[in-house]
Amino acid sequence: MLYKIEEQAEIFEKLEPVEFKDFSSFGKLEKDLENLIANSILDVLFEDARLMPVFQERQWQAEADIYALNESGELVIFELKRASAGKDAVHQALRYAQDAGQWSYQKLENKFKEYSKGDMSLVEAHREAFSLEHQLEPKEFNNKQHLLVIGSAADDSLICKRSI
Protein backbone atom coordinates (compact mmCIF):
# COMPACT_ATOMS: atom_id res chain seq x y z
CA MET A 1 0.00 0.00 0.00
CA LEU A 2 1.23 3.50 -0.82
CA TYR A 3 0.51 6.49 1.37
CA LYS A 4 0.71 10.22 0.94
CA ILE A 5 2.18 12.03 3.94
CA GLU A 6 0.49 15.29 4.85
CA GLU A 7 2.82 17.75 6.53
CA GLN A 8 2.22 21.11 8.18
CA ALA A 9 4.95 23.28 9.69
CA GLU A 10 7.46 20.44 9.21
CA ILE A 11 5.34 18.09 11.33
CA PHE A 12 3.88 14.96 9.79
CA GLU A 13 0.17 15.24 10.43
CA LYS A 14 -1.49 12.37 8.64
CA LEU A 15 -1.08 9.38 6.33
CA GLU A 16 -3.55 9.15 3.48
CA PRO A 17 -3.86 5.97 1.39
CA VAL A 18 -3.17 6.49 -2.31
CA GLU A 19 -5.33 4.55 -4.76
CA PHE A 20 -3.35 1.81 -6.46
CA LYS A 21 -3.38 1.78 -10.24
CA ASP A 22 -1.46 -0.60 -12.42
CA PHE A 23 -0.07 0.56 -15.75
CA SER A 24 -2.96 -0.95 -17.72
CA SER A 25 -5.44 1.35 -15.95
CA PHE A 26 -3.88 4.30 -17.81
CA GLY A 27 -4.70 2.71 -21.17
CA LYS A 28 -1.03 2.41 -22.07
CA LEU A 29 0.79 -0.48 -23.70
CA GLU A 30 3.53 -2.62 -22.19
CA LYS A 31 5.91 -1.04 -24.73
CA ASP A 32 5.12 2.39 -23.18
CA LEU A 33 6.14 1.02 -19.76
CA GLU A 34 9.26 -0.52 -21.28
CA ASN A 35 10.34 2.78 -22.86
CA LEU A 36 9.61 4.72 -19.66
CA ILE A 37 11.77 2.39 -17.58
CA ALA A 38 14.59 2.11 -20.16
CA ASN A 39 14.80 5.90 -20.35
CA SER A 40 14.89 6.23 -16.56
CA ILE A 41 17.12 3.45 -15.19
CA LEU A 42 20.44 5.26 -15.52
CA ASP A 43 19.55 8.53 -13.84
CA VAL A 44 16.20 8.23 -12.04
CA LEU A 45 15.30 4.71 -10.94
CA PHE A 46 17.60 2.62 -8.77
CA GLU A 47 19.51 5.67 -7.56
CA ASP A 48 21.86 3.56 -5.42
CA ALA A 49 22.35 0.95 -8.13
CA ARG A 50 22.24 2.77 -11.45
CA LEU A 51 21.78 0.74 -14.60
CA MET A 52 22.76 1.33 -18.21
CA PRO A 53 20.26 0.01 -20.77
CA VAL A 54 21.95 -2.00 -23.51
CA PHE A 55 19.04 -3.52 -25.40
CA GLN A 56 15.25 -3.57 -25.61
CA GLU A 57 12.93 -6.26 -26.87
CA ARG A 58 12.13 -6.41 -30.55
CA GLN A 59 8.58 -7.21 -31.59
CA TRP A 60 7.87 -10.90 -32.14
CA GLN A 61 11.23 -11.98 -30.67
CA ALA A 62 11.69 -14.22 -27.63
CA GLU A 63 13.57 -11.59 -25.64
CA ALA A 64 13.22 -9.88 -22.28
CA ASP A 65 11.81 -6.37 -22.33
CA ILE A 66 15.01 -4.64 -21.22
CA TYR A 67 18.62 -5.73 -20.77
CA ALA A 68 20.85 -3.42 -18.75
CA LEU A 69 24.27 -3.45 -17.12
CA ASN A 70 25.19 -2.40 -13.63
CA GLU A 71 28.48 -0.73 -12.76
CA SER A 72 30.18 -4.11 -12.33
CA GLY A 73 29.17 -5.28 -15.82
CA GLU A 74 26.53 -7.69 -14.54
CA LEU A 75 23.49 -8.11 -16.76
CA VAL A 76 20.11 -7.07 -15.35
CA ILE A 77 17.14 -8.57 -17.19
CA PHE A 78 13.71 -6.93 -16.94
CA GLU A 79 10.44 -8.66 -17.67
CA LEU A 80 7.58 -6.15 -17.58
CA LYS A 81 3.86 -6.67 -17.24
CA ARG A 82 1.53 -3.70 -17.48
CA ALA A 83 -0.97 -5.45 -15.22
CA SER A 84 -0.58 -8.44 -12.91
CA ALA A 85 2.62 -10.46 -13.03
CA GLY A 86 2.17 -14.08 -12.06
CA LYS A 87 4.48 -17.05 -11.83
CA ASP A 88 4.51 -17.31 -15.64
CA ALA A 89 6.37 -13.99 -15.77
CA VAL A 90 9.04 -15.40 -13.45
CA HIS A 91 9.40 -18.52 -15.59
CA GLN A 92 9.64 -16.33 -18.70
CA ALA A 93 12.38 -14.21 -17.09
CA LEU A 94 14.29 -17.35 -16.09
CA ARG A 95 14.25 -18.56 -19.70
CA TYR A 96 15.63 -15.21 -20.86
CA ALA A 97 18.36 -15.34 -18.21
CA GLN A 98 19.31 -18.85 -19.24
CA ASP A 99 19.80 -17.63 -22.80
CA ALA A 100 21.51 -14.32 -21.93
CA GLY A 101 23.88 -16.01 -19.50
CA GLN A 102 25.53 -17.65 -22.52
CA TRP A 103 26.13 -14.41 -24.41
CA SER A 104 29.72 -13.54 -25.21
CA TYR A 105 30.98 -9.99 -24.84
CA GLN A 106 30.82 -9.66 -28.63
CA LYS A 107 27.16 -10.65 -28.78
CA LEU A 108 26.33 -8.21 -25.97
CA GLU A 109 28.26 -5.44 -27.72
CA ASN A 110 26.44 -6.14 -31.01
CA LYS A 111 23.09 -5.86 -29.21
CA PHE A 112 24.24 -2.61 -27.59
CA LYS A 113 25.34 -1.13 -30.93
CA GLU A 114 22.03 -2.09 -32.52
CA TYR A 115 20.17 -0.50 -29.60
CA SER A 116 22.26 2.69 -29.41
CA LYS A 117 22.55 3.03 -33.20
CA GLY A 118 26.14 4.09 -32.70
CA ASP A 119 29.70 2.87 -33.08
CA MET A 120 30.95 3.38 -29.52
CA SER A 121 32.20 0.15 -27.98
CA LEU A 122 30.30 -1.28 -25.06
CA VAL A 123 33.32 -1.02 -22.74
CA GLU A 124 33.73 2.68 -23.54
CA ALA A 125 30.00 3.47 -23.28
CA HIS A 126 29.88 1.63 -19.95
CA ARG A 127 32.92 3.51 -18.61
CA GLU A 128 31.34 6.80 -19.67
CA ALA A 129 27.86 5.98 -18.31
CA PHE A 130 29.21 5.17 -14.85
CA SER A 131 32.06 7.74 -14.88
CA LEU A 132 34.62 5.02 -14.22
CA GLU A 133 38.29 5.88 -14.11
CA HIS A 134 39.15 2.69 -16.02
CA GLN A 135 36.95 0.69 -18.34
CA LEU A 136 36.10 -2.92 -17.57
CA GLU A 137 37.75 -5.67 -19.57
CA PRO A 138 35.39 -7.49 -21.98
CA LYS A 139 35.75 -10.68 -19.88
CA GLU A 140 34.25 -8.81 -16.89
CA PHE A 141 30.87 -8.35 -18.60
CA ASN A 142 27.89 -10.66 -18.09
CA ASN A 143 29.49 -12.85 -15.42
CA LYS A 144 26.28 -12.61 -13.39
CA GLN A 145 22.67 -12.02 -14.30
CA HIS A 146 19.93 -10.46 -12.18
CA LEU A 147 16.21 -10.71 -12.91
CA LEU A 148 13.57 -8.07 -12.27
CA VAL A 149 9.90 -8.71 -12.92
CA ILE A 150 7.89 -5.50 -12.81
CA GLY A 151 4.12 -5.57 -12.65
CA SER A 152 1.28 -5.86 -10.18
CA ALA A 153 1.90 -8.75 -7.81
CA ALA A 154 -0.94 -11.18 -8.28
CA ASP A 155 0.75 -13.53 -5.85
CA ASP A 156 2.42 -12.32 -2.63
CA SER A 157 5.14 -14.93 -3.09
CA LEU A 158 6.40 -12.90 -6.08
CA ILE A 159 7.12 -9.83 -3.98
CA CYS A 160 10.87 -9.60 -3.37
CA LYS A 161 12.23 -7.54 -0.54
CA ARG A 162 15.85 -7.55 -1.78
CA SER A 163 17.50 -4.82 -3.81
CA ILE A 164 19.69 -5.28 -6.86
Side-chain angles (χ1 to χ4, degrees):
M1 175 68 83
L2 293 176
Y3 295 91
K4 176 182 174 184
I5 299 173
E6 290 189 16
E7 177 183 18
Q8 288 188 4
E10 296 187 26
I11 297 173
F12 295 130
E13 294 285 326
K14 173 174 136 179
L15 288 177
E16 184 178 318
V18 176
E19 179 185 359
F20 175 78
K21 294 182 177 184
D22 64 29
F23 206 73
S24 66
S25 67
F26 297 102
K28 299 293 184 183
L29 301 174
E30 190 173 295
K31 190 67 174 174
D32 297 319
L33 176 61
E34 179 185 319
N35 290 333
L36 178 65
I37 290 173
N39 292 330
S40 303
I41 61 176
L42 184 60
D43 297 323
V44 180
L45 297 174
F46 311 108
E47 59 192 35
D48 292 335
R50 296 175 348 145
L51 299 171
M52 173 189 149
V54 293
F55 193 69
Q56 279 183 256
E57 166 192 51
R58 296 168 296 173
Q59 195 170 22
W60 312 112
Q61 301 295 313
E63 300 169 327
D65 295 303
I66 302 170
Y67 296 89
L69 292 171
N70 66 16
E71 188 172 342
S72 301
E74 298 167 347
L75 192 63
V76 181
I77 300 164
F78 288 78
E79 182 54 33
L80 310 176
K81 300 297 178 194
R82 69 184 192 117
S84 63
K87 290 180 181 170
D88 289 343
V90 174
H91 293 260
Q92 192 176 7
L94 287 169
R95 285 193 308 272
Y96 297 143
Q98 183 179 18
D99 180 48
Q102 304 301 312
W103 292 350
S104 66
Y105 168 80
Q106 192 59 54
K107 183 166 186 170
L108 191 58
E109 182 175 64
N110 290 344
K111 287 185 172 292
F112 169 71
K113 285 183 175 182
E114 179 182 342
Y115 174 72
S116 66
K117 296 177 178 39
D119 290 327
M120 184 181 283
S121 72
L122 180 58
V123 291
E124 183 57 29
H126 180 268
R127 187 198 64 73
E128 197 173 283
F130 292 102
S131 303
L132 301 175
E133 187 174 333
H134 302 288
Q135 65 189 32
L136 296 180
E137 294 294 323
K139 67 181 180 185
E140 296 178 88
F141 285 88
N142 198 21
N143 288 324
K144 275 187 167 180
Q145 298 77 40
H146 303 271
L147 303 175
L148 287 175
V149 177
I150 297 178
S152 299
D155 179 343
D156 286 345
S157 68
L158 298 179
I159 299 172
C160 179
K161 309 228 179 345
R162 287 183 43 202
S163 61
I164 298 175

